[in-house]
Amino acid sequence: MQKQSDTSTFRSESGLGMGPEAAARKDDAITGRRTAAASAERGPDRHQRMLGLAVILLAAVAALVLSIATPPPIGRARMLTYSADQIRESRLKHANVGRIHPVRAAFVVLARNSELHDLRATVRQLEDQFNTNHHYPYVFLNNEPFTEEFKQAMEWATTGDCHFGLIPYEHWSMPPWVDRVRARRARAAMGNSVPYGDSESYRKMCRFESGFFFRHPLLDNFDYYWRVEPGVEFTCAIPYDPFKYMVDHNKLYGFTISLLEFPTTVKSLWQTTSAFRATYPGYIAENNTLDWVTTPDGSSYNMCHFWSNFEIASLHFFRSPAYTAYFDFLDRAGGFFLERWGDAPVHSLAVAMLLSKDQVHYFDIGYLHRPFQNCPTDPDFNESHCFCNANRSAIHNVDSCTKAWLAL
């Protein structure tokens, strides 16, 4: 029986004793099993290996493209630098060759190409009221390259030399340590409840004016600056040199208008400033004017600030270790984007902390930045030099802090 069983098994496996079709089906099945077994031993076949290599190659190419398209911040700054002529271009006037100004000073203007016509009117008025007799130079800054039309218009409108500069990316951007999601939510929550409440670009501008404008290489050769904005008006003749006045009287900061800030934009600014004061007590001036920016008990910010769209100031003050330490402290806190800290309250708190009162000056200059203006109150001067209404001067406004400043 055993022998018969072995023979039957042999016949079954070899196909003996089967019909032709059955034997063929048996051979196909055995061949399939052997092929599958061989494939299992060898692993993935050639096509699978080729597919795997293709996927790896595509991933490597994608990573390379992504690294080029999204460089780190400094890389982006270099990409946006364009050309040397656009970074810093100077157009010098033959009439100014050999001219020596009593102060190394300049007008500094942050402007877009689209603001050309407003700025041209402002510059022409500033020339007529003051600079046609002094020929101080202008520094124009933009986060995009100035057009040739803009450059020619400013060159023709001014008596001073013109310098055109491009702002680097890292000076006009949200720093990497700021939470983008929180910043977006903060803008959405603020919305239109305050001017520029939902604007990211405005926050970039405030950060630039707070901590970077004085670092631009075009300002390296200057000691004082006069900030000018497109669309403002100079409503009185200026019969003296404000720059020279600043130097002769040891003034480091000058203003024309002071107002109250919107509280919702600076909720944590005073808390952060207080932390800075505790961290750097040696930077606080002895005869400071912190009383002007604080509530009577000194516990919080009263919202008073110099309206910084007009300021004449020492660049050495902004470049000082004290001021740069203060800006860096604020910048790390993220309030320029997580709230809407403006350069006006930042400059004002810095001046109040770091300078003594006798280093700050109120310029009673005719100046209009709608809706507020400063108009000299001296009737004789006003009649002979101005075309503004002194009764409408911001000093009479309930939101003005100038009378409180003068009373210090």
Side-chain angles (χ1 to χ4, degrees), residues 29 72 163 203 236 250 281 302 333-334 339 341 367 370:
H163 307 277
R203 287 165 168 81
C236 298
N250 192 32
N302 65 9
E339 294 180 14
W341 294 352
Y367 174 74
R370 290 177 174 83

Side-chain angles (χ1 to χ4, degrees), residues 36 91 132 147 178 193 197 243 293 296 324 357 372 379 388 398-399:
R91 299 196 175 185
T132 190
T147 62
V178 174
S193 62
F243 289 127
V293 295
T324 54
K357 185 179 184 299
F372 298 103
C388 56
V398 66
D399 290 332

Side-chain angles (χ1 to χ4, degrees), residues 80-99:
L80 294 177
T81 297
Y82 302 101
S83 69
D85 289 342
Q86 292 170 327
I87 300 168
R88 48 186 303 180
E89 177 184 355
S90 297
R91 299 196 175 185
L92 310 180
K93 295 179 170 64
H94 180 73
N96 294 328
V97 174
R99 181 183 295 274

Side-chain angles (χ1 to χ4, degrees), residues 97-393:
V97 174
R99 181 183 295 274
I100 300 176
H101 296 99
V103 181
R104 298 201 315 166
F107 302 105
V108 178
V109 186
L110 178 65
R112 301 184 183 94
N113 289 304
S114 60
E115 295 173 310
L116 169 59
H117 299 295
D118 287 342
L119 181 58
R120 181 161 47 192
T122 293
V123 167
R124 280 308 318 154
Q125 201 171 71
L126 179 57
E127 288 289 325
D128 293 342
Q129 301 286 33
F130 169 70
N131 201 47
T132 190
N133 298 319
H134 300 275
H135 296 227
Y136 279 108
Y138 291 78
V139 174
F140 300 96
L141 300 176
N142 191 353
N143 65 310
E144 297 179 353
F146 283 115
T147 62
E148 182 60 27
E149 178 189 12
F150 185 99
K151 294 174 185 177
Q152 285 188 0
M154 291 300 100
E155 187 178 10
W156 294 338
T158 59
T159 59
D161 295 334
C162 294
H163 307 277
F164 302 93
L166 186 67
I167 299 170
Y169 173 86
E170 63 267 31
H171 293 178
W172 192 276
S173 59
M174 189 183 304
W177 56 82
V178 174
D179 187 322
R180 266 62 177 167
V181 175
R182 285 183 60 197
R184 185 172 62 251
R185 289 173 179 169
R187 295 194 302 273
M190 196 169 292
N192 296 321
S193 62
V194 296
Y196 310 106
D198 59 350
S199 172
E200 180 178 335
S201 176
Y202 183 80
R203 287 165 168 81
K204 291 177 181 178
M205 182 276 292
C206 290
R207 179 175 181 254
F208 171 76
E209 293 284 21
S210 294
F212 295 106
F213 79 91
F214 51 87
R215 306 179 202 237
H216 197 283
L218 282 176
L219 273 69
D220 287 350
N221 294 325
F222 300 112
D223 300 325
Y224 279 81
Y225 96 109
W226 181 334
R227 178 168 164 178
V228 178
E229 293 197 353
V232 304
E233 296 183 24
F234 294 91
T235 56
C236 298
I238 305 172
Y240 64 100
D241 185 342
F243 289 127
K244 191 171 186 304
Y245 180 91
M246 296 283 285
V247 173
D248 291 346
H249 295 83
N250 192 32
K251 304 294 184 181
L252 300 183
Y253 188 87
F255 72 100
T256 59
I257 296 173
S258 65
L259 297 167
L260 295 176
E261 180 60 292
F262 295 99
T264 55
T265 65
V266 290
K267 288 182 177 179
S268 65
L269 179 57
W270 180 250
Q271 178 183 355
T272 309
T273 300
S274 297
F276 171 81
R277 291 167 59 198
T279 306
Y280 298 97
Y283 285 148
I284 310 306
E286 290 186 10
N287 187 26
N288 62 66
T289 55
L290 284 169
D291 288 346
W292 182 68
V293 295
T294 55
T295 53
D297 63 358
S299 63
S300 59
Y301 180 32
N302 65 9
M303 303 298 143
C304 282
H305 67 279
F306 305 118
W307 220 22
S308 59
N309 48 69
F310 176 106
E311 58 184 15
I312 302 175
S314 164
L315 290 167
H316 294 298
F317 165 62
F318 286 111
R319 296 168 182 149
S320 68
Y323 182 85
T324 54
Y326 178 54
F327 169 75
D328 291 342
F329 199 92
L330 298 183
D331 199 28
R332 279 290 170 181
F336 291 104
F337 296 94
L338 300 179
E339 294 180 14
R340 202 219 66 179
W341 294 352
D343 55 281
V346 169
H347 286 193
S348 302
L349 291 175
V351 168
M353 278 192 302
L354 309 177
L355 299 181
S356 60
K357 185 179 184 299
D358 60 5
Q359 293 175 307
V360 184
H361 181 67
Y362 164 57
F363 280 107
D364 199 12
I365 286 175
Y367 174 74
L368 171 65
H369 184 297
R370 290 177 174 83
F372 298 103
Q373 67 172 315
N374 185 79
C375 187
T377 54
D378 182 335
D380 294 333
F381 181 86
N382 196 304
E383 182 178 356
S384 60
H385 291 85
C386 305
F387 58 89
C388 56
N389 186 341
N391 293 327
R392 296 180 180 177
S393 187

Side-chain angles (χ1 to χ4, degrees), residues 29-65:
I30 292 172
T31 302
R33 287 196 298 272
R34 289 172 179 171
T35 301
S39 296
E41 291 177 0
R42 290 196 307 267
D45 61 17
R46 183 172 179 272
H47 294 292
Q48 290 174 316
R49 289 197 300 273
M50 292 294 292
L51 180 61
L53 289 173
V55 171
I56 293 172
L57 180 61
L58 285 173
V61 171
L64 179 61
V65 171

